[in-house]
């Protein structure tokens, strides 16, 4: 099935049949089944979701453990490395399209939907509505039907600006760690990786505080019209991606402490770094388009 090179590494590694895809599918089945029943009032749905998540996460742990063992035993050659790079590139491209759709929704609401509601065609139906963005202003209704509670918009000062500084700093510490790994300075690499993970955790705590502030003091909720829905949709999904990226960096750091990766072969590190830098770039777009404009 594969031809070995002179160093003992297969030209292209073909894994043996694995139980992991089926096991992961079983876990996801119980998650979806439980969620569908839970939202329809069935109490056992929550237990099904919990069981499915535990099953799925346990399967992922075993799957990743096997993949790491294959990599560390020298079974992954240049072809596999190239395959991983293309896979991660396409995954990040799909994420670009994911956030691109939400940014487009934000643009469409601002440039088309809100102005259309405030046009002369709708003036007789909603005479008090003004086409302004954000969709709240003194003396006018926040929605044509006047069903949205008054709210205050989120400004860039100071929590979003602090989070911007945190993410940009984490990009710097991650880059320093990468260069240290390439120079075979493992101690320096691990130290800066822990800094990066810590900055990601702090970002999530600051965003959680921002959400609590928005809900309790600004009355800014998911139900606060198109502004509220796009605000939480964009920042919420980004926060989830920060959480995933932080976990990726955490596991890479733990692997570094176990002696994994070399200056010449460390795509696991590079893939996580690509993802984290992508998260940084998305946040810059959010910071400008959501908080400033």
């Amino acid at each position: 099935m594969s031809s070995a090179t002179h160093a003992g590494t297969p030209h292209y590694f073909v894994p043996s049949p694995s139980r992991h895809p089926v096991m992961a599918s079983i876990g996801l089945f119980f998650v979806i089944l439980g969620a569908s029943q839970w939202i329809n009032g069935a109490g056992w749905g929550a237990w099904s979701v919990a069981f499915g998540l535990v099953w799925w996460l346990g399967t992922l742990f075993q799957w990743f453990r096997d993949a790491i063992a294959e990599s560390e035993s020298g079974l992954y050659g240049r072809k596999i490395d190239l395959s991983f790079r293309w896979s991660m590139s396409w995954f990040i491209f799909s994420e670009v399209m994911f956030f691109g759709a939400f940014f487009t929704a934000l643009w469409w609401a601002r440039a088309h939907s809100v102005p259309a509601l405030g046009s002369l065609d709708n003036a007789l139906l909603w005479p008090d509505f003004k086409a302004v963005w954000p969709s709240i202003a003194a003396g006018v209704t926040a929605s044509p039907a006047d069903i949205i509670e008054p709210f205050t918009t989120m400004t860039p000062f100071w929590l979003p600006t602090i989070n911007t500084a945190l993410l940009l700093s984490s990009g710097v510490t991650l880059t320093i760690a990468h260069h240290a790994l390439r120079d075979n300075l493992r101690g320096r690499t691990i130290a800066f990786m822990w800094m990066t993970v810590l900055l990601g955790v702090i970002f999530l705590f600051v965003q959680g505080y921002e959400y609590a502030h928005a809900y309790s003091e600004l009355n800014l909720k998911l139900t606060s019209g198109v502004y509220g829905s796009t605000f939480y949709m964009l920042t919420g999904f980004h926060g989830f991606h920060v959480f995933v990226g932080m976990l990726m960096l955490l596991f890479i750091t733990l692997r570094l402490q176990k002696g994994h990766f070399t200056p010449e072969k460390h795509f696991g590190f590079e893939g996580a770094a690509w993802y984290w830098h992508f998260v940084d770039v998305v946040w810059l777009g959010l910071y400008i388009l959501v908080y400033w404009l």
Side-chain angles (χ1 to χ4, degrees):
M1 297 175 68
S2 61
S3 57
T5 65
H6 65 279
T9 300
H11 178 69
Y12 195 96
F13 172 68
V14 180
S16 58
S18 172
R19 70 183 186 281
H20 299 316
V22 173
M23 300 295 284
S25 298
I26 293 173
L28 290 177
F29 168 78
F30 281 102
V31 170
I32 296 172
L33 174 66
S36 65
Q37 298 304 307
W38 192 7
I39 63 176
N40 284 287
W44 60 268
W47 293 103
S48 178
V49 171
F51 171 77
L53 285 175
V54 171
W55 183 287
W56 179 67
L57 291 173
T59 301
L60 288 186
F61 174 81
Q62 297 175 49
W63 202 343
F64 291 166
R65 180 191 60 192
D66 291 349
I68 291 171
E70 292 168 353
S71 175
E72 290 301 307
S73 61
L75 294 176
Y76 293 169
R78 186 182 67 85
K79 290 289 186 179
I80 292 294
D81 184 79
L82 184 63
S83 176
F84 283 159
R85 291 178 186 276
W86 273 110
S87 299
M88 194 65 184
S89 298
W90 282 114
F91 171 67
I92 291 177
F93 175 76
S94 73
E95 294 282 58
V96 171
M97 295 295 101
F98 179 85
F99 280 101
F102 291 151
F103 278 117
T104 301
L106 175 63
W107 167 77
W108 186 264
R110 296 181 60 168
H112 294 276
S113 299
V114 172
L117 290 174
S119 66
L120 291 176
D121 296 336
N122 297 314
L124 293 177
L125 293 175
W126 305 298
D128 295 330
F129 179 77
K130 302 297 180 183
V132 295
W133 186 271
S135 54
I136 187 69
V140 300
T141 59
S143 68
D146 197 19
I147 59 174
I148 297 176
E149 298 178 359
F151 63 89
T152 304
T153 59
M154 182 67 68
T155 65
F157 301 108
W158 282 99
L159 296 178
T161 300
I162 292 173
N163 263 348
T164 302
L166 289 171
L167 273 190
L168 292 178
S169 299
S170 71
V172 173
T173 57
L174 181 58
T175 301
I176 294 174
H178 189 197
H179 283 280
L181 177 59
R182 294 174 63 180
D183 293 336
N184 202 25
L185 303 173
R186 186 167 295 270
R188 181 181 174 88
T189 302
I190 293 173
F192 276 94
M193 284 296 291
W194 277 117
M195 291 183 196
T196 307
V197 171
L198 179 60
L199 288 170
V201 171
I202 295 174
F203 175 94
L204 292 172
F205 274 103
V206 172
Q207 187 169 51
Y209 178 79
E210 177 190 27
Y211 277 11
H213 168 69
Y215 258 77
S216 61
E217 299 181 35
L218 303 183
N219 200 36
L220 178 59
K221 305 175 181 178
L222 273 170
T223 56
S224 298
V226 67
Y227 176 84
S229 60
T230 53
F231 172 82
Y232 284 107
M233 179 174 62
L234 282 164
T235 59
F237 272 119
H238 177 268
F240 173 74
H241 282 72
V242 171
F243 175 71
V244 172
M246 182 271 297
L247 289 180
M248 292 169 65
L249 295 176
L250 173 62
F251 296 143
I252 292 298
T253 304
L254 295 176
R255 289 188 61 189
L256 282 165
Q257 291 183 322
K258 288 178 177 264
H260 296 182
F261 305 120
T262 65
E264 299 79 21
K265 189 176 179 181
H266 53 266
F267 178 70
F269 182 104
E270 290 180 311
W274 290 2
Y275 187 84
W276 192 255
H277 290 311
F278 161 74
V279 168
D280 286 353
V281 172
V282 172
W283 176 257
L284 291 177
L286 284 173
Y287 182 62
I288 296 171
L289 298 176
V290 174
Y291 292 101
W292 279 96
L293 299 182

